[in-house]
Amino acid sequence: MCGIVGYVGRREGRSSVQEVLLAGLAKLEYRGYDSAGISVIADERIEAVRAVGNLSALRAKLDGASTGGAVALAERPATTGIGHTRWATHGRVSEENAHPHYDTGNRVHVVVNGIVENYMALKDRLTAHGSVFTSETDAEVIAHLIAELYAGDLVEAVRSAYAQLEGHYAFVAMSLDEPDLLVGARKECPLIVGRGEGEQFVASAVPAFLAETRRVQYVENGELVVLRPEGVTIMTAAGEAVERPEHTVDWDQETAEKGGYETFMLKEIHEQADAVADAISDRTARGDGVNLAEEGALDEAVLKDVRRIVIVACGTSYHAGLIGRYAIEEWARVPVEMDIASEYRYRNAVIGPGDLVLGITQSGETADTLAAMRLARERGARVLAVTNVMGSQATRDSDGVLFTRAGLEIGVAATKTFLCQVAVMYLLALRMAELRGTLPPARLTELVSEVKRLPHCIDEVLAGVDEQVKPIADAYWQSDFFLYIGRHVGLPVALEGALKLKEISYIATDAYAAGEMKHGPIALLDDSTPVVCVATDSPVLEKVVSNMQEVRARGARVIALATAGNEQIARQADAVITLPAIDWMLQPMLAVIPLQVLAYEIARRRSLNVDQPRNLAKTVTVE
Ligand code: AGP
């Protein structure tokens, strides 16, 4: 999750391209970045300056460059430039890993968002042909590839490179050989053009150029874009020009930062397909298994030989752990215990060598989770951190790290970080199964291909979610209590749905294992109680259906989550939300999305601040 900005122009009175780029990057910095850089072409020179830290570090370095002899970035009138702010997902935070990246001959510079899945194979080939790589990133491969393919036409070189690049990404390239030209390409990750007179802008998000122009053109998935001072051409990957209407955005800066969504939470809900794609794509690229051997990873011998796993986490991360437990036990046949971190640290746990503790924490800074991880480590267990934040405390208090790659999450209520945690737990379970030989190879391949379908299925859920959920929110937003029930992996979905609703709407909720209903909670039901039943297809579906009947018999209202095509559920519910079919173990990643949206829609109907709910903090660094 990074930010891209690009400029090309020869407009009378335009003072400094560097300033345009820096101002653009500043507007993307709200997403939280750890390194930044710009490249410009000026006076027949091309030059990059990059710095670790926020933009002020880059500014300080640029000031040094202008007095310290760097040529292009000194106060000469550049015409073309690209800039990037990085929020590290692959490769640590360092100047070498910051963008722009450039080829060995220092003629082609690129800024990249997203992930190039086949970068290892490309890197090997390019290295054999003489390219010298200077970073640990997947992104650098694009600069070398374009340079290798360049034969006097940057557009053609980018087009040929694009055909060889797998993954989901967006990039913008420029070359010293064609100084008045930027070429961008989009595969999934966004790229937007800002139209000017005698100058053009391109960025990963509108805020980057909103101060300069409100005229935008959207580059669609699978397209290339060619920007010259006098105009812009959008084309297909085959090189055919595409007519694309211009829009005028009337957003204020705050709306623009939210990508046009009314809140960060809604934006983050809608980023979930991309975020999950980031989390899984290169790790599942081989198809017949999972690759988790990356920087900072845990020694795989531990995963192979582990005797027992204990998962410690809080809140939403705990729910992700619960789903992970089902997957690890089912596929890798390792016993898994779950513990709420704040309880674990005070119960004199029996833990030691041979055990593996997973600390799941999106922020990597939750005090209770960190304390539980430290305690386990002191007693001889190995500790694996599952976190979203590079450099966080959890990464330092562990023997290995698995990053969830969700990008920065601003809304206090966790949404996309949860989906990425769950995705990563599936990958871990599959890798362990592979190492331990607990799944037949054909089944492993089948499950990997199901995991690879997840981003597409998430998109499908998001496309129809408003239509399915809004009427339910309209009907029940004034209720003062909701019960959520589920079984097996449906139970963590129920728990997470209930947590989302109470967090942002302040409605009392309870979530229960459906089979436990008759042991107490059923007493709560009357004819006005909405009961959310996770009734997606699974080996325990018939049991869930019996529990739904118990609910209906008390006159309560059933809101069911069902797999598309299962008419039986719709007949027994007051409202039904249907979800695409996928392997039942993976279903939680789809089922939780309508529950996030239900919580969101109810909170909005109650006029509440969903991004900053009362009494809650995004990172809980105190006990
Ligand atoms: C989730 O919506 C909450 N914000 C909260 O439960 C959160 O998951 C919990 O505080 C744990 O945070 P962590 O993942 O950063 O450790």
Side-chain angles (χ1 to χ4, degrees):
M1 290 285 165
C2 307
I4 285 177
V5 60
Y7 173 88
V8 60
R10 289 187 176 273
R11 202 197 77 190
E12 195 79 13
R14 166 66 66 201
S15 54
S16 159
V17 173
Q18 291 88 314
E19 277 309 318
V20 173
L21 298 175
L22 288 170
L25 295 180
K27 295 300 179 197
L28 298 176
E29 218 185 7
Y30 67 95
R31 294 159 59 119
Y33 291 94
D34 49 43
S35 54
I38 63 170
S39 287
V40 298
I41 297 176
D43 266 2
E44 295 173 18
R45 300 281 302 257
I46 189 167
E47 193 160 341
V49 171
R50 308 177 292 192
V52 169
N54 60 21
L55 274 185
S56 53
L58 179 62
R59 274 194 182 277
K61 199 147 181 219
L62 283 163
D63 291 345
S66 57
T67 52
V71 178
L73 286 159
E75 286 151 10
R76 297 174 191 227
T79 53
T80 312
I82 52 180
H84 190 267
T85 49
R86 179 167 187 251
W87 200 80
T89 55
H90 282 53
R92 73 209 143 80
V93 179
S94 70
E95 196 173 311
E96 296 74 38
N97 290 342
H99 301 217
H101 291 292
Y102 40 89
D103 69 304
T104 311
N106 190 24
R107 299 194 79 76
V108 175
H109 286 218
V110 297
V111 283
V112 185
N113 277 359
I115 289 170
V116 179
E117 285 172 16
N118 59 335
Y119 81 98
M120 285 304 288
L122 290 170
K123 189 170 175 174
D124 289 348
R125 196 188 79 202
L126 289 159
T127 304
H129 294 177
S131 289
V132 178
F133 281 77
T134 56
S135 79
E136 302 156 332
T137 66
D138 51 326
E140 187 186 347
V141 81
I142 299 181
H144 293 278
L145 184 59
I146 294 171
E148 182 177 79
L149 295 166
Y150 188 77
D153 184 342
L154 183 63
V155 180
E156 274 310 300
V158 168
R159 224 163 58 74
S160 312
Y162 184 75
Q164 296 185 37
L165 295 166
E166 291 165 19
H168 67 285
Y169 52 78
F171 68 83
V172 179
M174 64 182 193
S175 166
L176 184 56
D177 297 292
E178 292 171 82
D180 285 334
L181 177 64
L182 290 180
V183 186
R186 173 179 176 192
K187 203 165 194 180
E188 315 287 353
C189 296
L191 209 54
I192 302 149
V193 171
R195 299 299 303 264
E197 294 300 331
E199 59 183 358
Q200 314 298 337
F201 306 82
V202 62
S204 53
V206 172
F209 53 67
L210 199 61
E212 301 287 349
T213 180
R214 290 176 173 270
R215 294 165 50 205
V216 306
Q217 280 176 304
Y218 293 98
V219 181
E220 298 294 347
N221 190 21
E223 291 179 345
L224 273 58
V225 58
V226 179
L227 300 103
R228 296 190 167 86
E230 60 279 11
V232 172
T233 307
I234 296 175
M235 59 174 66
T236 64
E240 287 154 15
V242 178
E243 283 297 318
R244 183 62 36 80
E246 233 181 76
H247 298 276
T248 303
V249 292
D250 55 6
W251 300 342
D252 57 22
Q253 190 62 41
E254 199 193 323
T255 314
E257 286 176 2
K258 292 172 186 155
Y261 290 99
E262 58 192 10
T263 63
F264 282 111
M265 182 179 171
L266 194 59
K267 174 172 177 274
E268 286 154 6
I269 287 172
H270 283 270
E271 284 172 348
Q272 292 186 112
D274 275 355
V276 170
D278 255 348
I280 64 171
S281 49
D282 59 322
R283 290 161 167 168
T284 52
R286 119 174 107 90
D288 59 353
V290 168
N291 179 20
L292 296 180
E294 54 206 26
E295 198 191 336
L298 188 70
D299 179 355
E300 291 213 318
V302 177
L303 298 180
K304 187 166 183 290
D305 301 329
V306 61
R307 187 167 58 107
R308 176 178 70 138
I309 289 179
V310 176
I311 299 180
V312 290
C314 302
T316 288
S317 297
Y318 177 79
H319 300 154
L322 284 172
I323 298 170
R325 170 167 71 175
Y326 287 105
I328 293 170
E329 291 197 335
E330 177 83 20
W331 297 335
R333 306 302 297 147
V334 180
V336 182
E337 287 175 23
M338 285 299 305
D339 243 300
I340 292 168
S342 55
E343 288 295 313
Y344 184 82
R345 60 187 293 195
Y346 293 117
R347 74 168 172 79
N348 198 12
V350 180
I351 189 91
D355 293 329
L356 173 64
V357 168
L358 303 188
I360 307 180
T361 162
Q362 74 80 21
S363 62
E365 304 290 350
T366 297
D368 286 321
T369 308
L370 293 174
M373 289 163 63
R374 278 188 213 118
L375 183 138
R377 217 167 171 213
E378 277 159 24
R379 295 188 179 181
R382 305 297 287 271
V383 172
L384 173 63
V386 177
T387 186
N388 199 41
V389 181
M390 282 201 172
S392 59
Q393 191 60 41
T395 66
R396 297 192 288 274
D397 287 347
S398 53
D399 301 291
V401 188
L402 203 42
F403 288 105
T404 47
R405 302 182 183 166
L408 187 81
E409 190 173 72
I410 293 175
V412 166
T415 52
K416 63 176 181 169
T417 53
F418 173 71
L419 252 69
C420 289
Q421 286 172 336
V422 177
V424 160
M425 292 308 289
Y426 290 139
L427 296 181
L428 181 66
L430 289 173
R431 181 63 188 148
M432 289 180 70
E434 193 178 1
L435 289 166
R436 299 164 73 89
T438 47
L439 279 178
R443 175 70 179 139
L444 182 65
T445 303
E446 185 185 12
L447 284 167
V448 171
S449 90
E450 283 292 90
V451 168
K452 290 172 89 158
R453 284 178 58 223
L454 278 166
H456 171 75
C457 293
I458 293 167
D459 262 338
E460 202 179 320
V461 174
L462 286 167
V465 76
D466 280 353
E467 200 184 320
Q468 298 206 71
V469 170
K470 283 183 174 177
I472 300 173
D474 285 337
Y476 296 104
W477 70 273
Q478 296 183 80
S479 302
D480 53 14
F481 173 70
F482 278 69
L483 181 65
Y484 290 70
I485 58 171
R487 282 177 182 256
H488 199 277
V489 284
L491 174 57
V493 172
L495 289 161
E496 178 59 10
L499 177 64
K500 286 287 91 84
L501 186 64
K502 67 167 71 102
E503 253 187 317
I504 61 171
S505 74
Y506 317 144
I507 294 174
T509 65
D510 209 345
Y512 253 86
E516 275 288 292
M517 269 229 308
K518 57 178 95 53
H519 301 290
I522 202 162
L524 293 168
L525 302 184
D526 62 27
D527 58 7
S528 67
T529 315
V531 181
V532 177
C533 304
V534 185
T536 47
D537 287 359
S538 82
V540 293
L541 179 59
E542 286 311 314
K543 303 282 174 198
V544 177
V545 170
S546 304
N547 300 128
M548 279 168 56
Q549 282 160 353
E550 289 164 11
V551 169
R552 295 202 89 201
R554 272 77 196 171
R557 307 280 154 203
V558 171
I559 301 165
L561 294 171
T563 305
N566 191 335
E567 308 305 333
Q568 179 204 8
I569 303 297
R571 281 195 296 275
Q572 308 198 40
D574 296 277
V576 67
I577 297 167
T578 53
L579 299 160
I582 196 159
D583 186 278
W584 65 281
M585 187 69 89
L586 308 183
Q587 190 59 250
M589 290 194 44
L590 309 184
V592 80
I593 296 169
L595 301 188
Q596 296 168 342
V597 175
L598 180 64
Y600 181 85
E601 291 296 334
I602 290 176
R604 294 300 280 174
R605 277 159 185 70
R606 292 178 164 230
S607 306
L608 297 170
N609 179 346
V610 297
D611 283 339
Q612 290 167 317
R614 72 183 181 204
N615 306 337
L616 294 175
K618 185 71 186 163
T619 305
V620 186
T621 53
V622 291
E623 204 181 328

